Amino acid sequence: MSRDVLAINGGDPVRPTLLPYGRQHIDEDDIAAVVETLRSDWLTTGPKVDEFERAFAAFTGSAHAVAVSSGTAALHAAVYALNIQPGDEVIVTPMTFAASANAILYQGGTPVFADVQPDTLLIDPEQVAAKITPKTKAVIAVDYAGQPCDYDALRASTEPRGIKIIDDACHAIGGAYRGRTVGTLADLNTFSLHPVKHMTTGEGGVITTNDAEYAQRMRIFRNHGITTDHRQRAQTGGFFYEMVDLGFNYRINDFQCALGITQLKKVPASVARRQEIARRYDERFAEMPYVQPLHVRADVAHAYHLYMVQFETERMSRAEIFKALRAENIGVNVHYIPVHLHPYYQKRLGTGRGMLPIVEAAYDRLITLPIFPDMSDADIDDVVRAVRKLEI
Ligand SMILES: *Cc1c(COP(=O)(O)O)cnc(C)c1O
């Protein structure tokens, strides 16, 4: 049998155009909802913000949802709600987008990195327990790739000490852990509405919580630290407002929330299609011992924001595999460079290689394969063919 020549060596790529790793899904009803709001009286904080927050709270089964301008703003608001201050330590996973840890620094807290479990790359509850000190105020867990962390195990070491948990659930809307929905797993749960995520408002974010006081604090925080917003003042006919703390302009607007309302309805279908794509990948990669998908625990519903594999081979480096797959027009990526290896963190906190051996070893073998609801079965075949072509 003649061997297919890799595109990187001059062969034909498996497909003529680049398949991205993720992509938004926008229908006519999404467009109509935005246009309708543009014709209404409210462009910024108006009735659509309330309506979206109520719908999001109901979807996740939380008492409160607070919508903000990005997932990063959501993390910042959550850290603020917990009153993290200089001198406080917050334990965080290194296997995440930098924003998860940056939010701690925004409030003057100190990020403390805990290593991950080797099979799931989720924060390891035993490593978290080992990093707790009298200064520890919170843990930021990330439901990496869309798989919820082991919150019962995390709570066992944190709850008795009054340490709170933030779930950075930016990958995991529509997922579940032991029958509980993502959005209710931690004291505060944060979501991103960026176009590569399950649903989008262009840019946007949400925090869910069952704690009314946290919700109120975050509503003030997103509006400069001011106690009433413009719309509430219009309703009461008053001019009076007070700034009670230093906040930010982290508001989301009404046409974004109009989009959020229609997008939210599509999350179950998006998650179902992502799970279907993952199942097909799993089946095909079972025949290729050099491709190891991340382990999925039996007690979760995985939301599959990302489909991550590790390449178990000495014949090609991750950099070579990445280049070869890109040459085949497969839009592979790497999620993530562990946060403690970023130059800023190395300089500011003195972190670096050797500190977290499990996440560092995983990172060296990690590749993100395309997964998004509009991917066709032919697209899945292209990815599988490109990986098989490597013959490593
Ligand atoms: C996307 C993402 C964020 C940041 O969200 P933005 O909306 O881009 O600010 C934070 N944490 C994780 C894990 C993410 O995937």
Side-chain angles (χ1 to χ4, degrees):
M1 205 173 84
S2 75
R3 180 181 183 277
D4 252 354
V5 179
L6 287 170
I8 202 171
N9 296 332
D12 291 331
V14 298
R15 52 185 287 132
T17 56
L18 186 76
L19 178 70
Y21 86 88
R23 194 185 144 73
Q24 73 273 17
H25 172 101
I26 299 285
D27 292 320
E28 286 304 317
D29 66 324
D30 296 309
I31 294 165
V34 173
V35 170
E36 190 190 315
T37 307
L38 289 175
R39 296 189 207 282
S40 79
D41 289 339
W42 297 97
L43 288 190
T44 186
T45 313
K48 291 293 176 192
V49 177
D50 286 345
E51 191 183 334
F52 175 57
E53 288 181 339
R54 279 198 303 274
F56 201 96
F59 182 86
T60 55
S62 292
H64 309 278
V66 178
V68 292
S69 55
S70 70
T72 303
L75 282 159
H76 189 182
V79 170
Y80 170 83
L82 293 180
N83 201 24
I84 302 301
Q85 298 192 355
D88 294 341
E89 293 176 358
V90 179
I91 299 172
V92 61
T93 179
M95 185 41 81
T96 186
F97 185 54
S100 314
N102 293 351
I104 305 161
L105 293 175
Y106 293 160
Q107 288 302 108
T110 303
V112 174
F113 295 101
D115 214 339
V116 297
Q117 296 172 318
D119 54 348
T120 60
L121 307 190
L122 296 171
I123 196 167
D124 184 339
E126 284 180 23
Q127 301 278 346
V128 169
K131 297 271 166 124
I132 291 173
T133 75
K135 294 180 180 169
T136 308
K137 290 287 164 11
V139 174
I140 300 180
V142 175
D143 298 332
Y144 173 68
Q147 171 160 225
C149 300
D150 187 350
Y151 287 94
D152 289 346
L154 286 171
R155 227 179 276 282
S157 63
T158 54
E159 203 164 49
R161 296 174 172 88
I163 297 166
K164 301 295 180 186
I165 301 177
I166 295 172
D167 174 7
D168 179 345
C170 288
H171 297 182
I173 187 171
Y177 165 76
R178 298 187 177 170
R180 313 199 287 270
T181 52
V182 168
T184 63
L185 302 178
D187 297 288
L188 293 141
N189 311 271
T190 65
F191 298 86
S192 165
L193 308 176
H194 184 280
V196 296
K197 309 291 164 70
H198 292 72
M199 60 168 286
T200 188
T201 56
E203 296 276 0
V206 184
I207 315 97
T208 59
T209 181
N210 284 331
D211 186 305
E213 203 181 309
Y214 290 157
Q216 182 57 17
R217 273 175 69 75
M218 293 187 292
R219 290 208 157 87
I220 291 171
F221 183 71
R222 76 172 167 193
N223 189 36
H224 308 278
I226 289 172
T227 48
T228 59
D229 66 33
H230 175 69
R231 185 159 165 266
Q232 287 165 328
R233 284 202 301 283
Q235 276 170 349
T236 58
F239 67 91
F240 189 74
Y241 68 89
E242 282 180 306
M243 184 186 142
V244 292
D245 203 354
L246 187 61
F248 290 80
N249 178 352
Y250 279 161
R251 294 187 304 261
I252 192 167
N253 69 46
D254 246 38
F255 54 92
Q256 288 178 300
C257 286
L259 179 56
I261 291 162
T262 51
Q263 285 270 298
L264 184 62
K265 294 180 181 144
K266 297 165 204 201
V267 170
S270 168
V271 171
R273 176 62 183 155
R274 289 165 181 273
Q275 288 171 339
E276 168 68 16
I277 294 166
R279 197 181 56 73
R280 282 172 190 245
Y281 274 150
D282 287 345
E283 276 170 20
R284 307 289 289 277
F285 294 141
E287 304 155 10
M288 301 179 216
Y290 55 91
V291 186
Q292 291 287 323
L294 292 185
H295 174 66
V296 181
R297 299 196 319 274
D299 61 356
V300 298
H302 196 312
Y304 283 108
H305 164 54
L306 302 173
Y307 188 89
M308 304 303 308
V309 298
Q310 292 181 292
F311 280 90
E312 305 285 347
T313 176
E314 302 299 319
R315 289 195 43 212
M316 279 175 102
S317 71
R318 193 267 309 278
E320 287 164 339
I321 294 168
F322 183 93
K323 265 209 215 142
L325 291 174
R326 277 284 176 97
E328 302 294 340
N329 276 327
I330 304 301
V332 289
N333 229 298
V334 177
H335 293 90
Y336 292 92
I337 300 168
V339 178
H340 73 292
L341 300 182
H342 285 303
Y344 181 81
Y345 277 89
Q346 300 210 31
K347 253 191 296 182
R348 178 148 174 182
L349 298 179
T351 56
R353 277 249 173 209
M355 201 182 124
L356 300 166
I358 296 170
V359 78
E360 290 163 22
Y363 163 60
D364 291 337
R365 293 179 297 160
L366 208 53
I367 295 249
T368 314
L369 297 180
I371 191 166
F372 55 95
D374 290 338
M375 240 180 111
S376 67
D377 292 352
D379 293 333
I380 301 172
D381 288 342
D382 288 343
V383 176
V384 172
R385 271 198 296 135
V387 171
R388 183 171 284 135
K389 241 174 125 179
L390 297 172
E391 282 188 25
I392 40 183

